[in-house]
Every structure is written in C-alpha cells, then in structure tokens.
Amino acid sequence: MLTTPATLDRFLTPSHQRLWADADDFAAQEIHPLVQHLESQPSRVDRKVAQLLAGRRWFGVTVPAAFGGMQAGHVAKTILVHRLARVSGAAAAILQAGLIPVAALLHYGNADQHAALLPGVADGSLLMSIAVTEPDQGGHIGGMKTSAEWDGKAWMLSGTKVHVGNSHLAHRHVVVARTSEPGTRTSQALTAFLVGAEQKGVHVHRYTGRIGLHGFSFGVISFDRVRIRPQNVLGEVGQGFDVAQSSSILYGRPNLAAVSLGLHESAVDLTTQYVSQRPRYKGAVADLGVVRDRLGRMSARAIMARILAYHAVDMLDRGLPCDAELCAAKSLGHELAAEAGRDAMELHGANALLEGRPIERVWRDMQTTYAPAGTGEVQRIRLAQALLHEHGHPGEETEHTQWSVRLAYLTRHAHEDPAAAL
Ligand SMILES: Cc1cc2nc3c(=O)[nH]c(=O)nc-3n(C[C@H](O)[C@H](O)[C@H](O)COP(=O)(O)OP(=O)(O)OC[C@H]3O[C@@H](n4cnc5c(N)ncnc54)[C@H](O)[C@@H]3O)c2cc1C
C-alpha cells in the first residue's frame, strides 16, 4: 500500500515511492532508537548516524551510476532528507550537509577528481564537507579572510571556517579561500580546494553543543599553512564563488526546505496527537472550535510547504529554470515550519517546555534552518532580483545568471562524456 500523500502524486514515480517507504523504515528502525541518546549529549560528536547513512549509500543519491552512485536525482534526495527529518533533524542535517559538497564535486570536479572521489562518496567510505562561512563574514562570501597563496609549487591555505556541517566527521573538506589581491571582484577572487582532514595544519576545534540538531556536528575548522597541490583545486583558480554559490543554491536550499518540511510535519502530527488526548471538560482540547481552527491552519501550511519543496526539486530534475522556486522553498519552508512550531508549542501549553518532550526537540531543531544556505533576507533579495529580471541567458557567465539554468547548460555539455553525466 502506498504511504505517499496524494498531494505529491505528480512528482513521485514508483521508484520514488519505494525510496520513500525505505527511508521511513530506516528512520523508524535505525534512527528513532538513537534519538534520546543524541539529545542527552549535545556536545558529543556522533559517528553512528553517518555510518548508518553511508551504509545505505545515500550520500551518493545524486552521484552518476557510472561511479557506483544511485543517480536518483533531486526529488529522491528531497525524499531522503524530508523523511529522516520527521524522526531526527540531526540525521537529516548529517545527510544534507554531506550532499552539498558532492554538488560542488559533481559540477566543478575534473575527470581525475571524479574518478578518485565519486566512487568513495557513492559507497559511503568518503564523507565530504563544505567550508565557506567565517566568524566575521557570515553569509557575505566576498568578505572572507581565509586565503591561499601560491608558493611556486603548491597553495598554502590559512584561515578559520565556522558552522561547517559534519566538521568532525568529514574525510575531505571543500574549502573556499581568497586567492587574489584585495580589490579583485568576488566572482574572480576566490578558489575552492579539496583538503584532506588528516593533512598537516588542519585543526578541528573541540565541539560545543548548539540549541538544536544534537548529534549533528557543525563546528570550527582552522587551517594553518596547509599545503595543497594544484591537482586539488576544485574548478578553475578564481571560480570559488561559483562553487560555493551553485552548491548552496542547487543543493543547500532544497535540502534545507526538506529538513524544514520533515520537522514541520512532525510538529503537526505531535500536536494533533496531543490535543486529541489532552482532556478538557467532557472531552479533549481538540474538541474546542478555536483549537480546531488552529489545527486547520497548521494543516493548510503543511500542504503548502510540501508542494513548495517538491515542486522546486521536480523542476530541477527536469532541467527547468527554478532558482526562484528554490529560494521560495527554502525561505517559506522555514517560515511556515516556524509558524507551525509556534502553534505547536502553544497548543502543548506548559508541557511543551519539559525537556525530553519530542515537541521541544522539534521546535529547537526548527530554529536551525533559518541561517544555512542563505538566510530569509538573502533569499528575498534573490527573489527580488528575479522579479527585476537581473538574469542572463544559459551559458552567459554573469553573476545573476540562474544557477538552475547553468546546471542544465552544464548537463547538456557533460553528456558528451558519459562518465561525467550528471
Ligand atoms: C545548521 C547549520 C549548518 C550550516 N552548515 C554550513 C556548512 O556546512 N558550511 C558552511 O560554510 N556554513 C554552514 N553554515 C553557516 C551558514 O551558511 C551561515 O549561518 C549563513 O551563511 C549566514 O551567516 P551568519 O549566520 O553568520 O549570519 P550573518 O551573515 O552574519 O547575518 C546576520 C543577519 O543579518 C542579515 N543580513 C546579512 N547580510 C545581509 C544583507 N546583505 N542584506 C540583508 N540582510 C542581511 C541576515 O539575514 C541575518 O539575519 C551552517 C549554519 C547552520 C545553522
């Protein structure tokens, strides 16, 4: 029997539906029993969840079959992150954070880098991270201070990155650093590097807990004159801004929309259960008209968030221009979830505040999906740019060209080399 909601029927093939059921079984049987333990130790770096996900080969969900990957596309990726987030925001975050650098590698890696790294991503033996954010610059990529200098034989990388997803687990980091003189346009001033976690000069700082996503480590990594050979430049020298932007927009935004959606649905389910069982007068809190009105609003918002999240990735799978839809899915996905979170907390009354209640965990986890892959303000700026027609055409390398269009363009050209087909 199918378990997928009819709302999503047009986006899901039979293999998506099987993946959905598989993800639900995995989340219930493998992840759910770990949640309480993860919650009890916010500063502990967990390895078990990532190992379980790797065992499923889900870090390779978008990796071409030629490299052993699932080659299942963006809707499939959303299914995995969404269904995991219903049970554990941290497990969903571990998966989604491991997938963003895979986008960078797929889109900008050369044939040697693909051959060397993609099979490991696909079989789960290689976990990657992407390190862009810095302590002072936050979402302003152009302000980054981490830099790499060419010494005639290699690049020497120095600087500090913060909030790096899977900081303590990743074997290989995609690090974006400044490689040009101050004054160079950001679109040409940065370069992406593939850096081994075991390399001399790479220092992962002790992890301290965050208010949410316990079990997911997104910490600090410092680089002290780390030597990087030219073959570990990802893309061209000067293309680091593109590497960071494209992976964040094409993978980060829909991934975060999927995390928000899972948490959102979880809040709706927990609240429906709670008000149905909470006694009031001769019945339950759910019998009160004003509570039903609120539940109805929660249901409507969840339907909207579901359609937004899946519509955007369906467009991406079909090669349609959809930067605006990805922005909307990410920013509204968070907003709608946060509104549901507030309703859920209030409808649970004081009991919502008790540590260990699932709704308390879900609400805390929801606070973490605002900032990554572009805050709400940043998404709205991008949406305004789209309204103002600040886009170029496929193949035109302007900073306002839609990334989804560029991806379609790159994909068409990649087909000339079957091993590089995305
Ligand atoms: C769960 C999680 C996972 C993450 N994973 C990664 C990762 O794997 N790799 C990585 O590199 N980073 C990661 N990040 C960091 C994330 O990318 C940053 O949080 C994000 O770029 C925003 O930076 P900031 O939080 O420092 O906020 P800031 O950029 O300092 O912004 C602060 C406030 O000012 C607003 N603001 C800033 N600039 C503007 C502007 N130009 N116009 C209008 N408003 C503006 C913002 O919207 C925000 O409200 C992660 C963060 C979280 C929470």
Side-chain angles (χ1 to χ4, degrees), residues 263-320:
L263 295 168
H264 186 162
E265 289 179 348
S266 193
V268 175
D269 290 352
L270 289 167
T271 307
T272 309
Q273 240 173 50
Y274 184 81
V275 295
S276 304
Q277 288 163 4
R278 179 91 176 143
R280 194 54 33 108
Y281 312 128
K282 289 180 182 158
V285 166
D287 298 333
L288 306 174
V290 70
V291 170
R292 284 179 179 234
D293 177 68
R294 224 160 168 189
L295 276 184
R297 232 176 334 138
M298 290 177 84
S299 172
R301 279 193 301 244
I303 292 169
M304 207 179 349
R306 220 171 275 142
I307 294 171
L308 269 170
Y310 278 89
H311 175 60
V313 281
D314 175 64
M315 290 180 79
L316 206 46
D317 269 346
R318 290 192 285 134
L320 298 172

Side-chain angles (χ1 to χ4, degrees), residues 93 96-97 100 129-140 161-166 213 216 218 256 367-378 381:
Q96 83 79 23
I100 300 173
S129 83
I130 183 156
V132 179
T133 310
E134 295 188 5
D136 294 335
Q137 133 269 344
H140 175 41
K161 299 290 183 181
V162 295
H163 311 309
V164 180
N166 294 325
L213 301 180
F216 170 57
F218 50 120
L256 266 302
Q367 313 311 311
T368 68
T369 61
Y370 181 75
T375 62
E377 282 79 8
V378 169
I381 289 168

Side-chain angles (χ1 to χ4, degrees), residues 2-321:
L2 293 184
T3 53
T4 52
T7 317
L8 300 180
D9 209 36
R10 66 172 58 208
F11 306 123
L12 305 180
T13 63
S15 65
H16 286 139
Q17 285 165 344
R18 282 193 296 278
L19 188 66
W20 182 294
D22 200 21
D24 278 354
D25 285 348
F26 171 82
Q29 286 161 27
E30 310 278 348
I31 302 298
H32 184 256
L34 304 176
V35 169
Q36 216 178 339
H37 181 59
L38 297 177
E39 282 306 307
S40 65
Q41 293 174 291
S43 296
R44 185 176 149 269
V45 172
D46 178 76
R47 295 177 189 277
K48 170 100 176 153
V49 173
Q51 280 164 5
L52 290 169
L53 295 168
R56 289 287 170 136
R57 304 174 74 99
W58 284 346
F59 289 106
V61 61
T62 57
V63 171
F67 298 103
M70 290 167 68
Q71 196 167 329
H74 295 273
V75 170
K77 174 162 68 59
T78 283
I79 290 172
L80 293 176
V81 177
H82 163 207
R83 301 314 289 174
L84 281 172
R86 286 176 60 94
V87 170
S88 162
I94 290 169
L95 181 61
Q96 83 79 23
L99 292 168
I100 300 173
V102 175
L105 177 60
L106 281 170
H107 299 152
Y108 289 92
N110 59 33
D112 290 342
Q113 290 165 340
H114 283 177
L117 301 177
L118 288 176
V121 172
D123 71 21
S125 59
L126 178 72
L127 180 62
M128 296 178 69
S129 83
I130 183 156
V132 179
T133 310
E134 295 188 5
D136 294 335
Q137 133 269 344
H140 175 41
I141 298 180
M144 73 168 55
K145 295 195 180 110
T146 295
S147 64
E149 284 173 20
W150 179 247
D151 75 357
K153 286 186 183 155
W155 293 92
M156 303 302 285
L157 173 75
S158 293
T160 296
K161 299 290 183 181
V162 295
H163 311 309
V164 180
N166 294 325
S167 46
H168 291 59
L169 307 183
H171 309 102
R172 193 72 65 113
H173 308 291
V174 173
V175 183
V176 179
R178 180 171 298 286
T179 45
S180 297
E181 295 302 313
T184 310
R185 280 170 62 91
T186 300
S187 57
Q188 284 141 28
L190 313 177
T191 300
F193 299 97
L194 290 161
V195 182
E198 303 301 326
Q199 275 188 247
K200 191 169 170 233
V202 177
H203 174 58
V204 183
H205 295 219
R206 192 174 70 81
Y207 192 65
T208 52
R210 312 294 197 252
I211 72 158
L213 301 180
H214 299 168
F216 170 57
S217 46
F218 50 120
V220 181
I221 310 181
S222 295
F223 305 91
D224 181 13
R225 293 192 59 74
V226 179
R227 187 178 165 79
I228 299 165
R229 295 184 300 167
Q231 56 266 45
N232 286 323
V233 171
L234 185 62
E236 304 291 329
V237 171
Q239 227 178 6
F241 180 76
D242 289 3
V243 174
Q245 282 285 94
S246 61
S247 54
S248 170
I249 292 172
L250 299 177
Y251 276 46
R253 290 176 190 183
N255 288 0
L256 266 302
V259 178
S260 291
L261 177 60
L263 295 168
H264 186 162
E265 289 179 348
S266 193
V268 175
D269 290 352
L270 289 167
T271 307
T272 309
Q273 240 173 50
Y274 184 81
V275 295
S276 304
Q277 288 163 4
R278 179 91 176 143
R280 194 54 33 108
Y281 312 128
K282 289 180 182 158
V285 166
D287 298 333
L288 306 174
V290 70
V291 170
R292 284 179 179 234
D293 177 68
R294 224 160 168 189
L295 276 184
R297 232 176 334 138
M298 290 177 84
S299 172
R301 279 193 301 244
I303 292 169
M304 207 179 349
R306 220 171 275 142
I307 294 171
L308 269 170
Y310 278 89
H311 175 60
V313 281
D314 175 64
M315 290 180 79
L316 206 46
D317 269 346
R318 290 192 285 134
L320 298 172

Side-chain angles (χ1 to χ4, degrees), residues 342-361:
R342 180 179 168 165
D343 280 335
M345 290 296 279
E346 290 178 2
L347 286 174
H348 276 75
N351 284 335
L353 310 175
L354 300 177
E355 276 186 24
R357 286 266 169 158
I359 193 59
E360 177 259 349
R361 166 178 55 81

